[in-house]
């Protein structure tokens, strides 16, 4: 079965590719900007998760949250930006949503958050894959 023509027209539209990448990377851009404008909060967040030196981890987090989306949105080295954000998201999920150590409602919420983050990782794999395919066919 082929894709219906109206849906194909939407999927083929150049804006769709950009808007999809923006939707996927938007939370990271926002997170990076918020951390950049609240440096003390960014450092405190890293310390809360036991990452030391907290200032170094805050700077690395900001860099990943801003550079990764820039590469994806520019569709230049999108594989690198997607890889940066995918690895970052997986590590953050393991660190912040260790549901296997929790009980009760806390475990339920952390389990959901963990698997939502895995979904984002899958989204970044798709971005890298689609970017690669589009590059080959350009």
């Amino acid at each position: 079965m082929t894709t219906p023509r109206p849906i194909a027209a939407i999927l083929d539209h150049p804006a769709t590719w950009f808007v999809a990448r923006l939707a996927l990377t938007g939370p990271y851009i926002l997170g990076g900007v918020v951390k950049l404008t609240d440096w003390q909060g960014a450092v405190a967040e890293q310390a809360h998760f036991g990452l030391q030196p907290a200032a170094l981890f805050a700077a690395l987090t900001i860099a990943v949250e801003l550079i990764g989306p820039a590469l994806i949105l520019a569709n230049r080295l999108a594989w690198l930006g997607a890889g940066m954000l995918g690895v970052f998201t997986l590590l953050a999920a393991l660190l912040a949503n260790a549901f296997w150590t929790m009980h009760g409602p806390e475990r339920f919420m952390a389990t959901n958050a963990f698997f939502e983050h895995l979904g984002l990782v899958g989204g970044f794999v798709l971005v890298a894959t689609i970017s690669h395919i589009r590059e080959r066919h350009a």
Side-chain angles (χ1 to χ4, degrees):
M1 181 178 216
T2 60
T3 306
R5 287 174 23 136
I7 302 300
I10 293 168
L11 294 175
D12 288 338
H13 196 282
T16 302
W17 175 228
F18 181 80
V19 170
R21 289 176 291 146
L22 182 60
L24 184 61
T25 60
Y28 297 89
I29 296 167
L30 180 62
V33 169
V34 168
K35 287 174 183 72
L36 194 58
T37 60
D38 180 14
W39 176 251
Q40 292 305 319
V43 173
E45 179 183 49
Q46 302 305 310
H48 168 78
F49 289 112
L51 298 172
Q52 294 296 332
L56 174 62
F57 281 98
L60 290 172
T61 297
I62 291 167
V64 168
E65 288 186 328
L66 295 178
I67 294 169
L71 294 173
I72 291 170
L73 292 174
N75 205 28
R76 300 287 184 260
L77 300 175
W79 62 268
L80 179 59
M84 290 169 63
L85 290 173
V87 169
F88 170 78
T89 301
L90 181 60
L91 292 174
L94 290 168
L95 183 65
N97 299 302
F99 64 90
W100 53 90
T101 66
M102 301 172 187
H103 301 284
E106 182 183 41
R107 180 184 176 114
F108 178 78
M109 291 173 58
T111 301
N112 282 342
F114 180 84
F115 285 99
E116 287 170 356
H117 282 82
L118 284 185
L120 289 169
V121 172
F124 290 120
V125 172
L126 288 173
V127 163
T129 301
I130 292 167
S131 180
H132 172 69
I133 290 168
R134 290 171 67 100
E135 186 177 274
R136 278 196 330 205
H137 293 266

